[in-house]
Amino acid sequence: MATSKDIENPESRFSAVLASAARLPGVRIHRADYLRKALARYCSEDEIRRAVDETPAAAGIPLDVLDKAANDSINYEAAKASALSAAAGIPGFIALPATVPADTAQYFGHMLRIAQKLAYLYSWPDLFSEDSDDIDDATKGVLTLFFGVMFGTQSANAAVGKVAGMMSKQVAKKLPQKALTQGVVYPIVKKVAGYLGVQMTKQTFAKSVSKAIPVVGAVVSGGLTLATYLPMAKRLKKHLAGLELTKPAHRVADEEVLDGEVVEEHEPLPTIPEQHDADDTAAKLGKPHSS
C-alpha cells in the first residue's frame, strides 16, 4: 500500500500512473495483430508473416516503409487523443475533479499505445505478457525510457540506445531483464521516472487551467494535446528508427538468450539534469498536455 510519502515522490507518482494507464481497456497493443494491420498496405504476405514471426528488420522491410506505417499510427493516435481531450474539456470548471484525472489517464494511455506501436514496427519484442494484467519491471523500465525520449531527455535517449544495442547483439526475443532492473540502465530509469513525475504534475495543473471555461476549454485542451502529442510521438519514432535493431542484419534467435546479458558496458550513461532537447512546443507547455 502506498504511503503518503510515496505519493508525494515524483518517481512513485509516475510509476503509479504508468501502471494504471497500462490497465485501461484498449491500451495494450497485440503485437501480431497490429503488425499485420499496419503493414498490410505496404508489404507482401510473406514479409508480414516474417515480420510477425521474427521482426520487421529480419523480414527486410525497408525503413521508409516502416516510417510510413509509423506516421499512419501517429496521426491516428494523435487525432484520437485530441478528440477525447476536447470532449473532456466541455463540462468546464464544475467537472474538473472528475475530468482532469480521467483526461490525464487517457492521455498517458494514448502515449502507451503509440509507444508500443512504434516499438513493434522498429523491431522491439512484445512488451506485455498475455498471461497477466500486471506490468513487469523490465517492461515498466523500458516504457519509462520511451516516455523519457518523448519528453526530450538525453539520458533516456542514451539508455534506450544501450538496451537496443544489447538486444541487437544477443538477437533475442525479450527485453534484457537485468539491464532494466539491476544494471547500469536501472539508475537512469529511476531518474527519468522522477523527472517525468515532476513534469506530469506541471501538465496536470496546466490542463486544469485550460478546462476551466466550458467549450473554449474544450478547444484549447484538444489543441494543446495535439500540439504536444504529435512532436513527442515523432521524437520517439525518430529515435527508435535510428537504432541498431532496425537493421536487418540478424534473424531473431529461437532461445530467449538475454537473461544473462552483461550490462556493465563501458561508457557511462549520462546523468539526467538535462531537461529537454524537446521541441519548443512541448517544452514550453511543461510537457504533454494530457488528453
Side-chain angles (χ1 to χ4, degrees), residues 162-179:
K162 179 84 108 175
V163 173
M166 294 174 197
M167 295 181 62
S168 180
K169 288 175 186 174
Q170 295 287 352
V171 201
K173 287 184 181 177
K174 64 182 287 189
L175 294 172
Q177 302 282 327
K178 290 183 181 178

Side-chain angles (χ1 to χ4, degrees), residues 94-130:
I94 195 169
L96 282 180
T99 59
V100 172
D103 194 29
T104 300
Q106 78 85 10
Y107 186 90
F108 274 74
H110 279 286
M111 288 180 69
L112 277 175
R113 282 176 57 88
I114 197 59
Q116 292 169 82
K117 288 182 174 184
L118 295 175
Y120 298 152
L121 282 172
Y122 295 116
S123 294
W124 288 70
D126 230 327
L127 298 177
F128 288 102
S129 167
E130 294 183 5

Side-chain angles (χ1 to χ4, degrees), residues 198-220:
V198 171
Q199 297 306 316
M200 186 178 68
T201 301
K202 290 180 183 178
Q203 67 95 359
T204 299
F205 173 75
K207 181 61 94 174
S208 299
V209 172
S210 78
K211 288 186 186 300
I213 304 172
V215 183
V216 174
V219 174
V220 172

Side-chain angles (χ1 to χ4, degrees), residues 34-43 48 51 56 61 66 69 121:
Y34 168 68
L35 286 176
R36 288 189 190 100
K37 184 174 181 180
L39 298 174
R41 292 175 56 193
Y42 304 108
C43 301
I48 293 171
I61 298 173
L66 297 177
L121 282 172

Side-chain angles (χ1 to χ4, degrees), residues 124 158-172 174-180 183-186 244-245 257-258 261-265 269:
W124 288 70
V160 168
K162 179 84 108 175
V163 173
M166 294 174 197
M167 295 181 62
S168 180
K169 288 175 186 174
Q170 295 287 352
V171 201
K174 64 182 287 189
L175 294 172
Q177 302 282 327
K178 290 183 181 178
L180 288 161
V184 294
V185 176
Y186 181 60
E244 197 68 26
L245 281 180
V257 195
L258 274 184
E261 82 273 316
V262 177
V263 190
E264 312 88 51
E265 290 212 358
L269 288 167

